Each structure stands twice: as C-alpha cells, then as structure tokens.
Amino acid sequence: VQLQASGGGLVQAGGSLRLSCAVSGRTFSSYVMGWFRQAPGKEREFVAVISWNSGRTYYADSVKGRFTISRDNAAKMVYLQMNSLKPGDTAVYYCAADRAFSYDSSRYDYWGQGTQVTVSS
C-alpha cells in the first residue's frame, strides 16, 4: 500500500483547506485511514480516523467541529476538510493506513510523505 498526500499550502487564519490522500493497492477498502500531524519541535499527533465503510469517525478534541474526514473507496481517496483554521494547526499532515480503528500512530503500518499546512495569523 502506498499513500500520497496533497493539498497543503499557506492560508490565513479562519480559512479552509482540503487535504487529499491517494492510495494505491487492491485492498484499500479494507483499511482504516487516519490523518496525523507534526508541528516543528513536537511529536506527531492524531487528527482524525475513519473506518473502512465510513461508518465510524473519530477526531482529536482540538479539531472537532472544524475538520471532517471522508473517503471514497471507489476512487481510493481519503480527504480531510479543514475549516476555521488556526495558527496552531500549522504542521506537516500525514495520511496513514491500518487494519485496526485507532488513534495511536504506532499502530499504523503505512504512511504518506506528508503535506505542509501553514496558517498565518
């Protein structure tokens, strides 16, 4: 399984961005997909996760109500819609895939290369 994240950029506080993650592999629909982020000097942290059939999602408290994770199994894509962005959201964002529904980054077997999101005040 290979993952390619895109859609990052520079945005003003209060703005929006939509991150995309393209996944290769025949068994994409069986994977749980997560988004994580890492700010400079900080550890990687959980952002959001979605189950294989989109029936279950879970968000970090810091993004709940502002970010929405979704997936399109036919297109092998995962998305992270980010609204009301804050400077504290600045980080490199990574998509990841695993068999289990988890917010623990150590559980994830496959990772994309990351895409930079910068929110200016």
PDB file of all heavy atoms in Angstrom, residues 92-107:
ATOM      1  N   VAL A  92       3.022  19.578   9.418  1.00  0.00           N
ATOM      2  CA  VAL A  92       3.023  18.658   8.285  1.00  0.00           C
ATOM      3  C   VAL A  92       1.959  17.616   8.570  1.00  0.00           C
ATOM      4  O   VAL A  92       1.951  17.011   9.646  1.00  0.00           O
ATOM      5  CB  VAL A  92       4.394  17.985   8.093  1.00  0.00           C
ATOM      6  CG1 VAL A  92       4.328  16.969   6.952  1.00  0.00           C
ATOM      7  CG2 VAL A  92       5.468  19.035   7.821  1.00  0.00           C
ATOM      8  N   TYR A  93       1.062  17.419   7.625  1.00  0.00           N
ATOM      9  CA  TYR A  93      -0.050  16.487   7.782  1.00  0.00           C
ATOM     10  C   TYR A  93       0.240  15.197   7.006  1.00  0.00           C
ATOM     11  O   TYR A  93       0.647  15.245   5.834  1.00  0.00           O
ATOM     12  CB  TYR A  93      -1.349  17.118   7.295  1.00  0.00           C
ATOM     13  CG  TYR A  93      -1.910  18.114   8.267  1.00  0.00           C
ATOM     14  CD1 TYR A  93      -1.290  19.343   8.478  1.00  0.00           C
ATOM     15  CD2 TYR A  93      -3.050  17.825   9.012  1.00  0.00           C
ATOM     16  CE1 TYR A  93      -1.787  20.250   9.399  1.00  0.00           C
ATOM     17  CE2 TYR A  93      -3.562  18.736   9.931  1.00  0.00           C
ATOM     18  CZ  TYR A  93      -2.926  19.944  10.111  1.00  0.00           C
ATOM     19  OH  TYR A  93      -3.426  20.843  11.026  1.00  0.00           O
ATOM     20  N   TYR A  94       0.007  14.084   7.678  1.00  0.00           N
ATOM     21  CA  TYR A  94       0.273  12.767   7.104  1.00  0.00           C
ATOM     22  C   TYR A  94      -1.007  11.931   7.077  1.00  0.00           C
ATOM     23  O   TYR A  94      -1.773  11.940   8.045  1.00  0.00           O
ATOM     24  CB  TYR A  94       1.297  12.007   7.941  1.00  0.00           C
ATOM     25  CG  TYR A  94       2.646  12.669   8.056  1.00  0.00           C
ATOM     26  CD1 TYR A  94       2.906  13.579   9.071  1.00  0.00           C
ATOM     27  CD2 TYR A  94       3.663  12.362   7.162  1.00  0.00           C
ATOM     28  CE1 TYR A  94       4.148  14.181   9.190  1.00  0.00           C
ATOM     29  CE2 TYR A  94       4.910  12.955   7.277  1.00  0.00           C
ATOM     30  CZ  TYR A  94       5.143  13.858   8.291  1.00  0.00           C
ATOM     31  OH  TYR A  94       6.387  14.447   8.410  1.00  0.00           O
ATOM     32  N   CYS A  95      -1.209  11.212   5.990  1.00  0.00           N
ATOM     33  CA  CYS A  95      -2.258  10.201   5.981  1.00  0.00           C
ATOM     34  C   CYS A  95      -1.612   8.841   6.247  1.00  0.00           C
ATOM     35  O   CYS A  95      -0.435   8.631   5.940  1.00  0.00           O
ATOM     36  CB  CYS A  95      -3.028  10.188   4.675  1.00  0.00           C
ATOM     37  SG  CYS A  95      -2.040   9.951   3.183  1.00  0.00           S
ATOM     38  N   ALA A  96      -2.388   7.950   6.822  1.00  0.00           N
ATOM     39  CA  ALA A  96      -1.868   6.647   7.210  1.00  0.00           C
ATOM     40  C   ALA A  96      -2.959   5.596   7.102  1.00  0.00           C
ATOM     41  O   ALA A  96      -4.151   5.920   7.187  1.00  0.00           O
ATOM     42  CB  ALA A  96      -1.319   6.695   8.633  1.00  0.00           C
ATOM     43  N   ALA A  97      -2.535   4.353   6.942  1.00  0.00           N
ATOM     44  CA  ALA A  97      -3.484   3.250   6.782  1.00  0.00           C
ATOM     45  C   ALA A  97      -3.154   2.117   7.741  1.00  0.00           C
ATOM     46  O   ALA A  97      -1.977   1.821   7.994  1.00  0.00           O
ATOM     47  CB  ALA A  97      -3.448   2.727   5.349  1.00  0.00           C
ATOM     48  N   ASP A  98      -4.200   1.497   8.243  1.00  0.00           N
ATOM     49  CA  ASP A  98      -4.020   0.349   9.132  1.00  0.00           C
ATOM     50  C   ASP A  98      -5.262  -0.526   9.096  1.00  0.00           C
ATOM     51  O   ASP A  98      -6.309  -0.115   8.583  1.00  0.00           O
ATOM     52  CB  ASP A  98      -3.758   0.832  10.559  1.00  0.00           C
ATOM     53  CG  ASP A  98      -3.244  -0.277  11.453  1.00  0.00           C
ATOM     54  OD1 ASP A  98      -2.269  -0.959  11.055  1.00  0.00           O
ATOM     55  OD2 ASP A  98      -3.807  -0.478  12.530  1.00  0.00           O
ATOM     56  N   ARG A  99      -5.165  -1.717   9.660  1.00  0.00           N
ATOM     57  CA  ARG A  99      -6.305  -2.633   9.705  1.00  0.00           C
ATOM     58  C   ARG A  99      -7.234  -2.340  10.877  1.00  0.00           C
ATOM     59  O   ARG A  99      -8.418  -2.675  10.833  1.00  0.00           O
ATOM     60  CB  ARG A  99      -5.796  -4.070   9.828  1.00  0.00           C
ATOM     61  CG  ARG A  99      -4.980  -4.544   8.638  1.00  0.00           C
ATOM     62  CD  ARG A  99      -5.833  -4.754   7.423  1.00  0.00           C
ATOM     63  NE  ARG A  99      -5.087  -5.392   6.340  1.00  0.00           N
ATOM     64  CZ  ARG A  99      -5.603  -5.696   5.161  1.00  0.00           C
ATOM     65  NH1 ARG A  99      -6.863  -5.404   4.900  1.00  0.00           N
ATOM     66  NH2 ARG A  99      -4.864  -6.281   4.243  1.00  0.00           N
ATOM     67  N   ALA A 100      -6.699  -1.718  11.933  1.00  0.00           N
ATOM     68  CA  ALA A 100      -7.495  -1.500  13.139  1.00  0.00           C
ATOM     69  C   ALA A 100      -7.872  -0.035  13.289  1.00  0.00           C
ATOM     70  O   ALA A 100      -7.117   0.856  12.898  1.00  0.00           O
ATOM     71  CB  ALA A 100      -6.707  -1.958  14.366  1.00  0.00           C
ATOM     72  N   PHE A 101      -9.035   0.216  13.862  1.00  0.00           N
ATOM     73  CA  PHE A 101      -9.507   1.578  14.122  1.00  0.00           C
ATOM     74  C   PHE A 101      -8.770   2.092  15.345  1.00  0.00           C
ATOM     75  O   PHE A 101      -8.995   1.627  16.468  1.00  0.00           O
ATOM     76  CB  PHE A 101     -11.009   1.556  14.366  1.00  0.00           C
ATOM     77  CG  PHE A 101     -11.638   2.912  14.373  1.00  0.00           C
ATOM     78  CD1 PHE A 101     -12.103   3.468  13.197  1.00  0.00           C
ATOM     79  CD2 PHE A 101     -11.772   3.634  15.554  1.00  0.00           C
ATOM     80  CE1 PHE A 101     -12.696   4.731  13.194  1.00  0.00           C
ATOM     81  CE2 PHE A 101     -12.358   4.879  15.566  1.00  0.00           C
ATOM     82  CZ  PHE A 101     -12.827   5.434  14.380  1.00  0.00           C
ATOM     83  N   SER A 102      -7.890   3.077  15.151  1.00  0.00           N
ATOM     84  CA  SER A 102      -7.042   3.516  16.239  1.00  0.00           C
ATOM     85  C   SER A 102      -6.624   4.962  16.043  1.00  0.00           C
ATOM     86  O   SER A 102      -6.549   5.458  14.916  1.00  0.00           O
ATOM     87  CB  SER A 102      -5.790   2.632  16.316  1.00  0.00           C
ATOM     88  OG  SER A 102      -4.875   3.123  17.275  1.00  0.00           O
ATOM     89  N   TYR A 103      -6.350   5.633  17.159  1.00  0.00           N
ATOM     90  CA  TYR A 103      -5.769   6.981  17.098  1.00  0.00           C
ATOM     91  C   TYR A 103      -4.307   6.949  17.532  1.00  0.00           C
ATOM     92  O   TYR A 103      -3.696   7.997  17.735  1.00  0.00           O
ATOM     93  CB  TYR A 103      -6.570   7.950  17.950  1.00  0.00           C
ATOM     94  CG  TYR A 103      -6.797   7.504  19.364  1.00  0.00           C
ATOM     95  CD1 TYR A 103      -5.835   7.670  20.347  1.00  0.00           C
ATOM     96  CD2 TYR A 103      -8.001   6.921  19.734  1.00  0.00           C
ATOM     97  CE1 TYR A 103      -6.050   7.260  21.634  1.00  0.00           C
ATOM     98  CE2 TYR A 103      -8.231   6.515  21.035  1.00  0.00           C
ATOM     99  CZ  TYR A 103      -7.251   6.680  21.984  1.00  0.00           C
ATOM    100  OH  TYR A 103      -7.470   6.270  23.263  1.00  0.00           O
ATOM    101  N   ASP A 104      -3.768   5.751  17.676  1.00  0.00           N
ATOM    102  CA  ASP A 104      -2.383   5.565  18.077  1.00  0.00           C
ATOM    103  C   ASP A 104      -1.515   5.430  16.829  1.00  0.00           C
ATOM    104  O   ASP A 104      -1.629   4.451  16.093  1.00  0.00           O
ATOM    105  CB  ASP A 104      -2.278   4.309  18.946  1.00  0.00           C
ATOM    106  CG  ASP A 104      -0.872   4.062  19.455  1.00  0.00           C
ATOM    107  OD1 ASP A 104       0.063   4.750  19.011  1.00  0.00           O
ATOM    108  OD2 ASP A 104      -0.707   3.166  20.292  1.00  0.00           O
ATOM    109  N   SER A 105      -0.640   6.402  16.594  1.00  0.00           N
ATOM    110  CA  SER A 105       0.164   6.392  15.374  1.00  0.00           C
ATOM    111  C   SER A 105       1.059   5.159  15.271  1.00  0.00           C
ATOM    112  O   SER A 105       1.373   4.715  14.166  1.00  0.00           O
ATOM    113  CB  SER A 105       1.016   7.666  15.294  1.00  0.00           C
ATOM    114  OG  SER A 105       1.924   7.735  16.383  1.00  0.00           O
ATOM    115  N   SER A 106       1.462   4.592  16.388  1.00  0.00           N
ATOM    116  CA  SER A 106       2.345   3.427  16.354  1.00  0.00           C
ATOM    117  C   SER A 106       1.651   2.189  15.795  1.00  0.00           C
ATOM    118  O   SER A 106       2.302   1.221  15.437  1.00  0.00           O
ATOM    119  CB  SER A 106       2.882   3.128  17.760  1.00  0.00           C
ATOM    120  OG  SER A 106       1.839   2.705  18.622  1.00  0.00           O
ATOM    121  N   ARG A 107       0.314   2.241  15.715  1.00  0.00           N
ATOM    122  CA  ARG A 107      -0.438   1.097  15.185  1.00  0.00           C
ATOM    123  C   ARG A 107      -0.480   1.087  13.658  1.00  0.00           C
ATOM    124  O   ARG A 107      -0.806   0.076  13.061  1.00  0.00           O
ATOM    125  CB  ARG A 107      -1.873   1.134  15.710  1.00  0.00           C
ATOM    126  CG  ARG A 107      -2.040   0.966  17.201  1.00  0.00           C
ATOM    127  CD  ARG A 107      -1.734  -0.451  17.613  1.00  0.00           C
ATOM    128  NE  ARG A 107      -2.510  -1.405  16.856  1.00  0.00           N
ATOM    129  CZ  ARG A 107      -3.719  -1.827  17.203  1.00  0.00           C
ATOM    130  NH1 ARG A 107      -4.289  -1.363  18.279  1.00  0.00           N
ATOM    131  NH2 ARG A 107      -4.352  -2.729  16.465  1.00  0.00           N
TER     132      ARG A 107
END
